[in-house]
C-alpha cells in the first residue's frame, strides 16, 4: 500500500527497486520476483505519481520501457518507437478499456508469448538488421544471432521496406532437451531465449532451439491497401513468416467469452504464454488513438497469474545429475497444482536458497508454469535457519566443487553411484537409446543389485535373466520386452549412440553437425583428435563453438571414454552413422565447399550447400587450406579474399548452375 506519510521517499524507493528488477529481468535474464509482484510495484508507483504530479520525472520507470541494452552490441535507432503493452490481470479493468475504445469494434486476440521482443528490418525486400527492443528508442543489433533461426525469411517476394515485430521463444520440449544437455543450467525458456540472442558467438546461438512468431508490421512509407490488422496478417502469411496458432479477430462484445476458451488451453500450450494480447483491428483507429511514451492506447495485455500455492518444506534433499551437478530439492507437504500433485520443488542452488532465505520448516509459495518442474518462488514464513548445502557429495562423499563461473556445485567423481545411475537412466530413455521396459525404477533395482553398474553391463544382462524372472514385478512378458529392446538398441546408429553416452557438450545437434561434415563415426573423430590441425578443422564447422571443440577434443583423448566406446563397439553397438538419403550422383566427392554472399536461386543459401552434401561434398563454414571450392554471390566479403589468396576454386552462382546442369542434378 502507498505510504501516505512520505510519498517522495516511497517514490524514490520504488524507482530504485523497479530499476533493480528491470536490470535483473532484461539484462541478466534472472528475475528474482514474479511478474505479478513486479507489476504491483509499478502500479503502486503509478498511483503515487498520479496523486503527486510534482514528483513525476521523465526518467521514471512508469514512463519508460524496461531496457535490455548491453554494452557489447552496436546500436540501432528504431524507425518507430518500440513500445511495451499496458497490462492488466483483471477482467473488470479490461472491460472498462473495451468500453472506452469501442465495444462494437473488432479486436485481434492473440497469445502473449513469453520470450524476447525482436524487430526484423527489411530494406527493398532484404533482411538487413535484427534489433532488440532495447530502450524502445534504440536497440542492440543482434542480426547474426537472430539469422540462425531458419524460419525467418532473408528475402521477401516483394521489395518491401518494412520492419516486422515478433517474439523469439523456445518450446518447453526444446527447452527441456537443451537444458538436459547442458546439465540443467537454465531456469526457464523465457530466460534462456532472451539470453541466447545476446550471446557473443552466433555459432553458440545456432545450437539453441530458438523459434519466432511475428505479429506486426511497420511500414516505412504509406501502407497502401493495408487498413486492418487482418491485412497485416495476410501479408505476413504471404511472405511465409511464422505466425502463432489460435489468433482470432472478434468484436469487443464476445471478447471476454473468447478469453475463457483461451484460458482453458493455456496450460497445455507447447510454448510459454504469459497472457493474451488484445489489439484494435482498424489501423486508422489505432493511429487516431495513438500511444503514451510507454505503450499504445489501442492494445492491452491480459496477463495470467502464475499459479502459486503455499505449502511447507519438510525436508531438503539432492538430485545428483549425470554430469555431477547437485540440485537441492525441497520435499514439501503435497499440494495439488495445475492438475498434478506436487511433492518436490526445486531450489536450484545455494545462491537461490540464500536469496529466498529457504530452509526446513519454512512456509513457501510454489509455482508451476507449463511443464517446467515446480519451483520454490518465495518464503512466506521463514525457517529457523537458512539451509546450507553439505561440503561433500551425499552419495559418495567426494568434496563438492564449483566449475568455471557456475553457481552450481558438482561431484567430480566419475564413479559416483548417483551419477552412474542417472547416466544409465539417460542412456535408456526414450529420446536416447529408447530401451523400452527399462525405466527409472527397473534400472534402479538392477543397479542396486549390482547387475548393471555401467552402460556395457546392459548388454550382458541376460546372464541374470532367470534371477530377474524371480523378482516381484518382472513377468515373462515384461522381461521379454526389456531384452528385445536391449537387442534392438544395437540397431541405433551414431546419431543416437554418441549423444547417449552423455559426454558434455555433445548432444544430438552437435552429433548431427559432425556427421554432416563427414565425421560420421567414432573412429573418424578419434583420428581427427590425433591430428595436428584438429582444432582448425573443427573451427571451420558452422554451428560448433570453441567450448564444444574443447570438450570434444578432451573426450576423444580421455582413456576411460575411449575404453567405454570400444567396449560398446565390441558388444555390437554402432558407432558409425547409417548412410542417409544420398544420391547416386556423387560429383562432389572429395571436395570441401564453403559459401559466401547471397544468391538468387538458392534461398537460404543452405539450399545450395545441401545439394553439395547430398551429392558427395563436404561443407565448411570457414575458408582454410583444405577448402577446395568457394561458392560466392553478391555481398561476398573476407572469405572471397582469403579464398583468392589460397588459390581455392571460385564458383559464381551461374558457374554453379552450369555445373549442376552438366552433372544432371536438378534444382530442388
Ligand atoms: N519479474 C520481474 O522482475 C520483472 C522485471 C521487469 C519486467 N517484468 C515483466 O515484464 C513486463 C514488462 O515487460 P514488457 O515491457 O516486455 O511488456 P510485456 O511483456 O508486458 O508486454 C510487451 C511485450 O509482449 C511481447 N509480446 C508477446 N506476444 C505478443 C503479441 N502477440 N503481440 C504483442 N506483443 C507481444 C512483446 O515482446 C512485447 O514487447 C512486466 O509487466 C513484468 O510482468 C518482470
Ligand atoms: Zn558423488
Amino acid at each position: 500500500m502507498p505510504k501516505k506519510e512520505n510519498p517522495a521517499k516511497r517514490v524514490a524507493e520504488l524507482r530504485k527497486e523497479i530499476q533493480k528488477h528491470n536490470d535483473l529481468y532484461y539484462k541478466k535474464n534472472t528475475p528474482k520476483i514474479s511478474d505479478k509482484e513486479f507489476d504491483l510495484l509499478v502500479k503502486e508507483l503509478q498511483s503515487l505519481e498520479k496523486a503527486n504530479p510534482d514528483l513525476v520525472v521523465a526518467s521514471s520507470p512508469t514512463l519508460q520501457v524496461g531496457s535490455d541494452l548491453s554494452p557489447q552490441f552496436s546500436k540501432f535507432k528504431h524507425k518507430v518507437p518500440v513500445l511495451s503493452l499496458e497490462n492488466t490481470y483483471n477482467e473488470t479493468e479490461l472491460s472498462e478499456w473495451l468500453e472506452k475504445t469501442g465495444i462494437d469494434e473488432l479486436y485481434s486476440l492473440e497469445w502473449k508469448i513469453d520470450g524476447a521482443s525482436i524487430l526484423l528490418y527489411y530494406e527493398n525486400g532484404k533482411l538487413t538488421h535484427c534489433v532488440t527492443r532495447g530502450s524502445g528508442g534504440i536497440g542492440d543489433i543482434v542480426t547474426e544471432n537472430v539469422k540462425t533461426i531458419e524460419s525467418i525469411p532473408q528475402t521477401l517476394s516483394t521489395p518491401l521496406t518494412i520492419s516486422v515485430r515478433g517474439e523469439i521463444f523456445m518450446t518447453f520440449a526444446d527447452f527441456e532437451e537443451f537444458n538436459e544437455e547442458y546439465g540443467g543450467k537454465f531456469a526457464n525458456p523465457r530466460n534462456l531465449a532472451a539470453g541466447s540472442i545476446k550471446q557473443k558467438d552466433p555459432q553458440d546461438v545456432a545450437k539453441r532451439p530458438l523459434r519466432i512468431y511475428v505479429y506486426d508490421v511497420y511500414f516505412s512509407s504509406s501502407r497502401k491497401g493495408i487498413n486492418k490488422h487482418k491485412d497485416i496478417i495476410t501479408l505476413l502469411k504471404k511472405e511465409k513468416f511464422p505466425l502463432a496458432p489460435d489468433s482470432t479477430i472478434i468484436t469487443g462484445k464476445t471478447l471476454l467469452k473468447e478469453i475463457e476458451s483461451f484460458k482453458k488451453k493455456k496450460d497445455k500450450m507447447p510454448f510459454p504464454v504469459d497472457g493474451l494480447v488484445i489489439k484494435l483491428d482498424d489501423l486508422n483507429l489505432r493511429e487516431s488513438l495513438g500511444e503514451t511514451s510507454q505503450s499504445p492506447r489501442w492494445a492491452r495485455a491480459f496477463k495470467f497469474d502464475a499459479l502459486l500455492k503455499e505449502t511447507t518444506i519438510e525436508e531438503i534433499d539432492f538430485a545428483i545429475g549425470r554430469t555431477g551437478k547437485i540440485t537441492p530439492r525441497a520435499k514439501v507437504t503435497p499440494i495439488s497444482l495445475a492438475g498434478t500433485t506436487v511433492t518436490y520443488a526445486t531450489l536450484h542452488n545455494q545462491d537461490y536458497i540464500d536469496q529466498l532465505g529457504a530452509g526446513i520448516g519454512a512456509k513457501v509459495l510454489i509455482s508451476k508454469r507449463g511443464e517446467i518442474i515446480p519451483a520454490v518462488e518465495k518464503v512466506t514464513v521463514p525457517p529457523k535457519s537458512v539451509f546450507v548445502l553439505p561440503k561433500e557429495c551425499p552419495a559418495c562423499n567426494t568434496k563438492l566443487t564449483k566449475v568455471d563461473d557456475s553457481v552450481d556445485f558438482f561431484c567430480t567423481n566419475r564413479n559416483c553411484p548417483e551419477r552412474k545411475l542417472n547416466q544409465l537412466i539417460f542412456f535408456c530413455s526414450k529420446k536416447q537409446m529408447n530401451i523400452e521396459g527399462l525405466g527409472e525404477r527397473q534400472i534402479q533395482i538392477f543397479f542396486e543389485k549390482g547387475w548393471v553398474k555401467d552402460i556395457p553391463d546392459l548388454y550382458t544382462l541376460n546372464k541374470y535373466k532367470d534371477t530377474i524372472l524371480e523378482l516381484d514385478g518382472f513377468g515373462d512378458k515384461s522381461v521379454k520386452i526389456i531384452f528385445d529392446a536391449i537387442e534392438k538398441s544395437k540397431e541405433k546408429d551414431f546419431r543416437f549412440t554418441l549423444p547417449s553416452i552423455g559426454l558434455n557438450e555433445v548432444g544430438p545437434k552437435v552429433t548431427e553437425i559432425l556427421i554432416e561434415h563427414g565425421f560420421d563415426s567414432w573412429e573418424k573423430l578419434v583420428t581427427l583428435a590425433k591430428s595436428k590441425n584438429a582444432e582448425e578443422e573443427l573451427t571451420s564447422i558452422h554451428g560448433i563453438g570453441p567450448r564444444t571443440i574443447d570438450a570434444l577434443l578432451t573426450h576423444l583423448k580421455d582413456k576411460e571414454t575411449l575404453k567405454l566406446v570400444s567396449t560398446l563397439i565390441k558388444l555390437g553397438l554402432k558407432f558409425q552413422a547409417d548412410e542417409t538419403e544420398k544420391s547416386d550422383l556423387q560429383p562432389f566427392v572429395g571436395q570441401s565447399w564453403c559459401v559466401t554472399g547471397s544468391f538468387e536461386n538458392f534461398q537460404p543459401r543452405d539450399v545450395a550447400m545441401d545439394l553439395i552434401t547430398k551429392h558427395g561434398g563436404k561443407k565448411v563454414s570457414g575458408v582454410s587450406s583444405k577448402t577446395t571450392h568457394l561458392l560466392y554471390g553478391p555481398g561476398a566479403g573476407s572469405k572471397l579474399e582469403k579464398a583468392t589468396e589460397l588459390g581455392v576454386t571460385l564458383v559464381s552462382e551461374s558457374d554453379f548452375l552450369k555445373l549442376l546442369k552438366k552433372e544432371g542434378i536438378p534444382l530442388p
Side-chain angles (χ1 to χ4, degrees):
M1 278 270 84
K3 288 180 186 161
K4 293 216 175 66
E5 51 287 11
N6 189 348
K9 186 165 162 248
R10 181 65 185 152
V11 163
E13 261 171 31
L14 281 167
R15 284 183 188 150
K16 204 169 146 212
E17 188 72 5
I18 291 169
Q19 192 52 49
K20 181 180 97 186
H21 290 297
N22 266 336
D23 285 350
L24 284 167
Y25 184 84
Y26 290 108
K27 297 191 202 277
K28 303 219 168 66
N29 298 308
T30 51
K32 296 288 180 273
I33 57 174
S34 72
D35 283 2
K36 180 133 193 205
E37 285 172 283
F38 178 85
D39 294 338
L40 283 175
L41 294 175
V42 175
K43 285 245 148 97
E44 186 185 342
L45 180 57
Q46 271 166 347
S47 65
L48 276 174
E49 287 177 345
K50 206 166 164 191
N52 304 279
D54 53 315
L55 293 178
V56 177
V57 290
S59 64
S60 173
T62 55
L63 297 175
Q64 303 221 324
V65 307
S67 165
D68 67 58
L69 294 174
S70 6
Q72 75 260 38
F73 291 97
S74 306
K75 303 292 175 256
F76 185 93
K77 190 172 180 312
H78 285 300
K79 305 261 167 86
V80 284
V82 182
L83 302 175
S84 172
L85 286 169
E86 184 161 338
N87 65 54
T88 175
Y89 289 83
N90 172 315
E91 283 176 19
T92 318
E93 265 180 34
L94 186 67
S95 298
E96 282 166 16
W97 174 74
L98 279 176
E99 287 293 343
K100 215 167 63 194
T101 321
I103 192 85
D104 292 317
E105 295 297 334
L106 286 175
Y107 293 85
S108 68
L109 177 61
E110 304 156 4
W111 290 113
K112 185 170 181 302
I113 302 140
D114 200 8
S117 209
I118 196 79
L119 266 290
L120 311 172
Y121 284 94
Y122 289 84
E123 252 170 65
N124 300 317
K126 296 247 178 324
L127 177 61
T128 58
H129 293 91
C130 306
V131 187
T132 67
R133 191 175 78 180
S135 64
I138 53 168
D140 282 344
I141 301 177
V142 289
T143 314
E144 292 312 311
N145 287 348
V146 172
K147 275 190 177 172
T148 63
I149 306 174
E150 280 164 17
S151 62
I152 298 177
Q154 310 253 334
T155 320
L156 305 177
S157 68
T158 26
L160 296 169
T161 295
I162 51 173
S163 40
V164 175
R165 186 162 177 189
E167 191 85 353
I168 292 178
F169 68 97
M170 219 176 258
T171 64
F172 289 117
D174 283 347
F175 169 74
E176 277 172 16
E177 188 170 321
F178 182 85
N179 208 21
E180 159 69 25
E181 226 173 297
Y182 286 82
K185 273 194 276 195
F186 305 97
N188 64 46
R190 185 260 160 205
N191 297 347
L192 180 53
S196 292
I197 60 170
K198 293 288 185 94
Q199 289 292 301
K200 280 197 210 96
D201 185 351
Q203 303 216 352
D204 282 333
V205 186
K207 278 192 281 175
R208 302 178 176 214
L210 296 175
R211 299 184 195 227
I212 188 169
Y213 283 140
V214 303
Y215 53 76
D216 213 348
V217 176
Y218 307 109
F219 296 83
S220 61
S221 49
S222 87
R223 47 170 173 82
K224 242 188 290 150
I226 307 251
N227 295 309
K228 309 271 182 210
H229 186 66
K230 206 171 72 203
D231 304 331
I232 290 182
I233 299 302
T234 309
L235 171 69
L236 289 171
K237 269 192 190 146
K238 175 172 161 256
E239 294 296 348
K240 302 206 166 56
F241 281 95
L243 298 170
D246 303 331
S247 304
T248 168
I249 294 176
I250 46 172
T251 83
K253 282 205 189 89
T254 47
L255 208 96
L256 288 182
K257 209 172 119 220
E258 193 62 28
I259 285 178
E260 282 314 304
S261 65
F262 272 80
K263 269 187 176 170
K264 284 201 189 104
K265 273 177 87 169
K266 76 177 170 62
D267 290 324
K268 299 192 188 82
M269 296 305 286
F271 50 85
V273 292
D274 60 345
L276 297 167
V277 184
I278 298 124
K279 300 169 188 163
L280 261 178
D281 180 52
D282 187 320
L283 304 189
N284 293 318
L285 262 180
R286 284 190 189 180
E287 276 151 27
S288 68
L289 282 173
E291 46 251 345
T292 69
S293 63
Q294 210 191 15
S295 53
R297 293 194 182 88
W298 43 263
R300 282 292 180 275
F302 178 75
K303 302 238 294 186
F304 303 133
D305 269 342
L307 271 176
L308 285 177
K309 252 193 185 168
E310 195 174 54
T311 181
T312 307
I313 298 184
E314 292 179 349
E315 254 175 72
I316 293 177
D317 69 8
F318 313 91
I320 305 164
R322 62 190 172 85
T323 58
K325 190 183 122 179
I326 310 282
T327 309
R329 305 182 300 177
K331 185 164 187 291
V332 297
T333 313
I335 40 159
S336 114
L337 195 58
T340 54
T341 304
V342 176
T343 43
Y344 278 102
T346 182
L347 283 162
H348 300 298
N349 51 54
Q350 186 70 55
D351 286 12
Y352 191 76
I353 293 176
D354 293 343
Q355 266 154 24
L356 292 175
I360 296 165
K363 272 210 161 54
V364 290
L365 293 179
I366 306 282
S367 76
K368 189 164 191 297
R369 290 207 287 152
E371 293 158 49
I372 309 174
I373 317 162
V376 177
E377 294 277 353
K378 196 179 175 158
V379 171
T380 47
V381 179
K384 284 212 184 75
S385 59
V386 173
F387 188 78
V388 183
L389 247 71
K391 298 269 175 291
E392 282 109 32
C393 171
C396 71
N397 295 326
T398 305
K399 191 168 180 298
L400 298 179
T401 47
K402 280 196 178 186
V403 181
D404 302 332
D405 53 353
S406 103
V407 290
D408 300 306
F409 280 97
F410 286 81
C411 167
T412 52
N413 172 12
R414 304 175 128 190
N415 295 314
C416 172
E418 275 296 305
R419 282 184 65 178
K420 281 276 176 217
L421 178 62
N422 282 314
Q423 279 164 11
L424 283 163
I425 291 170
F426 177 74
F427 182 86
C428 297
S429 63
K430 209 164 176 171
K431 280 196 200 129
Q432 306 301 323
M433 299 299 278
N434 190 18
I435 304 186
E436 211 188 326
L438 277 188
E440 276 190 51
R441 196 179 65 86
Q442 292 80 2
I443 296 172
Q444 190 146 13
I445 294 172
F446 298 163
F447 186 78
E448 274 164 15
K449 299 243 176 233
W451 300 340
V452 178
K453 293 197 197 105
D454 208 346
I455 296 167
D457 301 336
L458 289 167
Y459 295 90
T460 55
L461 184 65
N462 43 13
K463 62 180 178 229
Y464 297 106
K465 192 165 176 180
D466 293 340
T467 338
I468 293 172
L469 280 165
E470 285 163 20
L471 294 177
D472 268 354
F474 290 86
D476 279 339
K477 215 164 137 195
S478 61
V479 172
K480 184 171 184 313
I481 290 177
I482 295 175
F483 283 103
D484 286 352
I486 292 177
E487 209 42 44
K488 191 144 183 271
S489 73
K490 292 184 185 167
E491 288 165 21
K492 293 247 175 197
D493 81 343
F494 199 42
R495 286 178 185 80
F496 291 91
T497 49
L498 181 62
S500 296
I501 57 173
L503 306 175
N504 75 332
E505 294 274 336
V506 189
K509 191 138 185 192
V510 167
T511 305
E512 195 59 56
I513 295 172
L514 289 169
I515 293 172
E516 253 178 43
H517 287 80
F519 299 108
D520 57 358
S521 70
W522 179 254
E523 206 189 319
K524 284 191 191 163
L525 285 176
V526 173
T527 312
L528 170 74
K530 284 186 193 145
S531 79
K532 268 204 305 277
N533 46 5
E535 211 173 309
E536 191 197 349
E537 198 148 328
L538 287 169
T539 308
S540 74
I541 297 180
H542 185 72
I544 296 197
R547 211 173 26 209
T548 309
I549 296 177
D550 257 12
L552 185 62
L553 291 177
T554 311
H555 299 313
L556 289 165
K557 290 176 189 155
D558 174 67
K559 278 209 192 90
E560 285 192 42
T561 308
L562 291 168
K563 194 171 134 217
L564 171 70
V565 175
S566 76
T567 311
L568 290 174
I569 291 173
K570 278 192 203 119
L571 287 165
L573 274 81
K574 276 195 214 161
F575 274 78
Q576 81 236 15
D578 291 340
E579 294 274 308
T580 43
E581 186 236 336
K582 254 200 188 151
S583 156
D584 291 341
L585 297 167
Q586 297 282 296
F588 302 126
V589 167
Q591 301 177 355
S592 145
W593 285 68
C594 182
V595 63
T596 178
S598 62
F599 302 89
E600 251 170 48
N601 293 283
F602 307 100
Q603 286 173 8
R605 62 192 196 193
D606 272 349
V607 175
M609 291 319 251
D610 288 347
L611 277 179
I612 292 166
T613 48
K614 187 169 169 202
H615 297 282
K618 215 162 116 177
K619 70 175 182 194
V620 293
S621 64
V623 174
S624 74
S625 56
K626 291 209 163 169
T627 313
T628 58
H629 294 73
L630 179 75
L631 177 62
Y632 69 96
S638 61
K639 281 184 192 164
L640 186 55
E641 277 165 39
K642 192 162 177 201
T644 316
E645 232 169 73
L646 291 170
V648 171
T649 307
L650 304 178
V651 183
S652 70
E653 181 166 12
S654 65
D655 294 340
F656 189 58
L657 288 170
K658 277 184 217 147
L659 185 63
L660 293 177
K661 201 163 171 201
K662 187 179 129 224
E663 299 294 346
I665 298 172
L667 288 185

